[in-house]
Amino acid sequence: MAFGKWIGSLKGLFNEGPMKELTEEVAEKPQLKLSAENVVFSNEFDQTFHVESPVRENMRNSFLFSMLVMASHIVIADGKVEPSEYKFLGDFLNKHFGEEAEVEGIDVVKKLIAKHEELEARKPMAFLQLIGDCGSQIANSLSEDLRYQMLSMLTMIVKSDENVSNQEVETLKEVAMYIGMKATDVDALMNLDPEKAKDEWQWMKQ
């Protein structure tokens, strides 16, 4: 399925509420809690989220869309969009899924951010509900290993502008909970000692 056609298949998701329920689960795997810079993305990750992967089409679309929804939530966590965040996300999509995925994926994220503003003005909390719906499907369908890899990508978006805010860290923890992970996983990905995390965050911009 061409990436452009995949984008077309997502249009209805903006107006149809929660995405289709996923029906398959991936077995859980043991997971080492590495910092985001040291996480290695597996072939299983690429196959799960790649638009041309052998994963069943409706699942593949939902997984990739969910990842982009979460990415858009992280990008706007501190109330502003930094070019470096788009660059990191674009480079990530290009590296793992190809040049076309980069162009189309960034376009989807920009549309999601615009939709966020529209929904907040018309129906507050509606976008957060979408985040929750996507997170629940990811939590119920993907292994801890794949979820940790996805969370590490979101963490690197936060780190990409070198100005990490408390709000961004809290949003990462919020997303972690939505996808069935723990707040301490964010500490590990941020390379912060959970016992010292509160003090470490004091240097971060508000």
Side-chain angles (χ1 to χ4, degrees):
M1 181 179 183
F3 203 86
K5 292 182 180 179
W6 168 77
I7 293 298
S9 72
L10 294 178
K11 290 181 179 178
L13 293 173
F14 291 110
N15 301 314
E16 293 176 3
M19 295 180 294
K20 293 180 181 179
E21 182 177 358
L22 304 178
T23 58
E24 297 180 9
E25 294 189 4
V26 180
E28 295 288 333
K29 294 180 178 179
Q31 170 65 51
L32 291 175
K33 304 300 183 183
L34 302 173
S35 63
E37 293 85 351
N38 296 320
V39 171
V40 176
F41 290 87
S42 64
N43 289 334
E44 184 182 2
F45 180 92
D46 288 355
Q47 290 173 358
T48 298
F49 290 95
H50 200 300
V51 70
E52 300 294 347
S53 78
V55 177
R56 191 155 51 88
E57 184 177 310
N58 69 320
M59 291 185 66
R60 181 183 64 217
N61 292 346
S62 294
F63 288 147
L64 187 50
F65 180 69
S66 292
M67 183 172 72
L68 293 174
V69 167
M70 298 301 178
S72 71
H73 190 46
I74 295 301
V75 167
I76 59 176
D78 59 356
K80 57 187 177 182
V81 178
E82 299 288 351
S84 58
E85 294 172 329
Y86 277 141
K87 184 179 187 311
F88 170 80
L89 181 58
D91 289 346
F92 178 88
L93 292 171
N94 191 321
K95 178 180 178 180
H96 290 274
F97 312 125
E99 185 176 349
E100 191 174 4
E102 174 186 356
V103 174
E104 299 288 358
I106 291 297
D107 184 59
V108 167
V109 169
K110 289 180 177 179
K111 287 178 178 176
L112 282 165
I113 291 173
K115 179 62 67 173
H116 171 266
E117 295 175 354
E118 177 187 328
L119 288 175
E120 285 298 299
R122 180 165 52 86
K123 188 178 179 183
M125 304 301 290
F127 193 81
L128 195 60
Q129 179 64 49
L130 177 61
I131 298 295
D133 292 338
C134 291
S136 293
Q137 292 182 17
I138 289 292
N140 293 329
S141 304
L142 298 184
S143 68
E144 181 180 356
D145 187 35
L146 290 177
R147 284 179 278 137
Y148 197 78
Q149 290 176 60
M150 177 175 159
L151 190 58
S152 74
M153 183 275 289
L154 299 175
T155 301
M156 288 306 298
I157 292 177
V158 169
K159 290 185 172 186
S160 66
D161 65 2
E162 299 182 356
N163 293 310
V164 181
S165 69
N166 288 329
Q167 183 58 48
E168 287 175 309
V169 174
E170 290 308 313
T171 300
L172 274 172
K173 292 198 168 191
E174 178 183 82
V175 167
M177 300 300 287
Y178 279 136
I179 65 174
M181 304 297 285
K182 299 177 181 178
T184 52
D185 291 327
V186 174
D187 294 333
L189 288 163
M190 293 293 296
N191 201 25
L192 296 175
D193 182 337
E195 296 299 319
K196 300 177 181 178
K198 218 167 186 181
D199 293 333
E200 291 282 349
W201 293 344
Q202 296 308 308
W203 60 266
M204 297 177 184
K205 292 186 176 180
Q206 299 295 327

